Amino acid sequence: MYALVGGTVHTAMAEGTFEGTVVFDDGIVALGDVEPPAEATVVDVEGHHVTPGLVDAHSHAGMAEWGEPEDADINEGTDAVTPQVSALDGFHPRDEELRHAFQHGVTAVSARMGSGNVIGGIICSMKTYGRTADEMCIREDGMKAAMGENPKRFHGEEHDRQPATRPGVAATLRSALMAAEDYVDRRKHARESGEPFDRDLGMENLARVLTEDLPLRVHAHRTDDIMTVFRIAEEFSIDALSIEHATEGHLIAEEFAARDVPAVVGPSLYSGAKYELRNITFETPAILHEVGVKVAIQTDAPVLPQHHLDVCVGLAVREGLPPEVALESVTRHPAEILGIDDRVGTLEVGTDADVAVWDGVFYENDSKTRHVFVDGEHVFDRERDAVDPRDAYDW
């Protein structure tokens, strides 16, 4: 058990910020003006800021094998529609990107299949510290889908098969969802009539989007792609939906608000890779927030390094995101979008003890983590675990 005493505690909840103590073992036990229990290890954090561990709602950490691109397990590129695969089966707990993450306060990520396929597979919310993927898994949090240039290039250009165009991407998604509807009907009939039924793993997974509110999480940059997603979601009565990247989301912010669809925005630091990123800006989170859209900020690691999530928040604040919602954009909001807010994203009694201690406001450029805890384990102490970067070189 630990007690962090004397710090400025940011709960990411309505209770807001206070000066006081946080007591936890594997979960949060007490907060506020409380005396540390006799059995607790007391850590003096006076002058520091205590926050929930940061949550990245769109990442490939653990999937893309940082520094080893030939080992990336993010796209099952044998077909444009692969709902049968799961990120959990490709998650590597020893990926260096995960160590970089928790050392810099990012304690949970939604580990994604890639955007090369129109339907990529099941995605999972994961802790960034742990021994096995199973113990690090928080829950399956959605089905990955993708619009735009990635599936066009990955399949049409490289393999000469559908989809090769935006209409082809939309048709591929519709066809898969129609097949899932038919599968659900056949399955229901077989169960009611007692007839045998041949199950299909991909259709079982995709059926969950239609019947069990497994969220459809769709990679979409341009306004036309985003509106196509909205149109298809309405056609198939899909309410559990999020738009990933939302690069041009600021141009149609009211459309997000009217549908109550959250946006997982980013990475907003680099636009040179694709023409569809030409309207990229760090103003997007602020504009979406202004009209009432729930916004989370992402890195798409390793597109941007996972440990730069706080830097992305700082740039969004510089471009208009209110400082008072900066923390929520990488804690409570992504946890709510992912459906894991009962465990992470806030500091409240009963949630997991994923806690970061910073020597300044977390998103300011000169702030660093001093301590990080995951499930109550002291996984990083800057004094204890400091590494001289020069040691990485073989002189």
Side-chain angles (χ1 to χ4, degrees):
M1 178 176 285
Y2 287 90
L4 308 181
V5 300
T8 301
V9 180
H10 305 264
T11 64
M13 296 172 56
E15 288 81 353
T17 301
F18 59 86
E19 306 292 325
T21 299
V22 182
V23 180
F24 54 87
D25 42 30
D26 58 344
I28 304 296
V29 174
L31 305 97
D33 185 15
V34 296
E35 286 294 320
E39 66 272 25
T41 299
V42 175
V43 182
D44 183 0
V45 293
E46 184 175 359
H48 293 346
H49 294 257
V50 182
T51 73
L54 306 188
V55 181
D56 192 330
H58 185 117
S59 174
H60 304 288
M63 303 295 299
E65 303 292 353
W66 185 86
E68 298 290 342
E70 66 273 16
D71 288 336
D73 287 315
I74 60 174
N75 286 305
E76 177 56 49
T78 53
D79 196 281
V81 177
T82 58
Q84 69 272 19
V85 302
S86 171
L88 186 63
D89 296 322
F91 188 83
H92 181 205
R94 302 280 78 78
D95 182 3
E96 283 293 299
E97 191 78 57
L98 297 170
R99 180 173 61 85
H100 299 162
F102 71 72
Q103 289 180 343
H104 291 80
V106 182
T107 57
V109 298
S110 179
R112 299 297 171 96
M113 302 304 298
S115 55
N117 292 344
V118 178
I119 298 179
I122 296 287
I123 50 185
C124 300
S125 292
M126 309 291 293
K127 296 294 181 78
T128 57
Y129 179 87
R131 185 174 58 89
T132 68
D134 300 82
E135 70 183 36
M136 296 163 76
C137 184
I138 303 172
R139 63 164 293 184
E140 294 178 345
D141 67 58
M143 176 67 71
K144 177 67 182 289
M147 310 296 288
E149 298 302 320
N150 281 20
K152 283 173 53 182
R153 181 178 63 248
F154 198 80
H155 294 281
E157 294 180 16
E158 295 186 12
H159 298 287
D160 194 27
R161 63 190 179 204
Q162 186 174 318
T165 63
R166 278 182 163 78
V169 173
T172 302
L173 180 55
R174 280 192 179 94
S175 294
L177 291 171
M178 289 177 66
E181 284 184 327
D182 292 343
Y183 181 87
V184 169
D185 289 342
R186 293 196 307 273
R187 184 178 64 184
K188 180 180 178 181
H189 174 76
R191 288 173 176 173
E192 291 176 347
S193 63
E195 296 175 358
F197 181 76
D198 292 330
R199 292 185 299 164
D200 178 276
L201 178 58
M203 287 295 103
E204 289 285 337
N205 286 343
L206 199 53
R208 294 169 60 191
V209 175
L210 301 175
T211 64
E212 300 178 26
D213 285 332
L214 180 71
L216 187 64
R217 307 204 182 277
V218 189
H219 161 118
H221 290 284
R222 284 181 9 184
T223 57
D224 53 343
D225 289 328
I226 295 169
M227 293 305 300
T228 297
V229 175
F230 289 160
R231 190 162 54 249
I232 292 174
E234 290 167 3
E235 292 169 11
F236 290 89
S237 300
I238 296 172
D239 296 321
L241 176 71
S242 65
I243 300 297
E244 315 286 309
H245 304 300
T247 301
E248 293 186 344
H250 57 282
L251 300 177
I252 51 171
E254 292 78 8
E255 300 288 347
F256 281 81
R259 295 167 174 80
D260 195 26
V261 174
V264 182
V265 179
S268 304
L269 200 59
Y270 176 63
S271 63
K274 291 182 271 188
Y275 178 69
E276 64 184 351
L277 304 182
R278 66 193 182 282
N279 286 318
I280 201 166
T281 172
F282 273 102
E283 295 179 84
T284 303
I287 294 170
L288 288 166
H289 169 76
E290 186 176 318
V291 298
V293 178
K294 184 174 290 183
V295 176
I297 293 175
Q298 56 141 313
T299 62
D300 200 16
V303 176
L304 294 184
Q306 186 65 78
H307 57 285
H308 287 173
L309 182 59
D310 56 344
V311 176
C312 295
V313 177
L315 290 168
V317 170
R318 189 188 72 180
E319 300 302 325
L321 185 68
E324 61 269 21
V325 299
L327 180 61
E328 284 82 352
S329 72
V330 286
T331 54
R332 180 164 57 86
H333 287 176
E336 289 173 348
I337 291 169
L338 298 171
I340 57 174
D341 51 306
D342 59 326
R343 292 189 54 184
V344 301
T346 59
L347 296 179
E348 56 183 313
V349 174
T351 58
D352 294 357
D354 293 356
V355 184
V357 179
W358 311 78
D359 57 16
V361 176
F362 84 98
Y363 62 78
E364 293 182 348
N365 197 44
D366 58 351
S367 296
K368 294 181 179 179
T369 50
R370 309 309 303 183
H371 303 275
V372 180
F373 301 83
V374 177
D375 292 323
E377 185 173 347
H378 198 178
V379 299
F380 181 68
D381 178 323
R382 188 161 294 275
E383 292 186 6
R384 180 192 71 192
D385 302 324
V387 176
D388 188 330
R390 293 169 293 186
D391 292 343
Y393 292 90
D394 183 7
W395 297 103

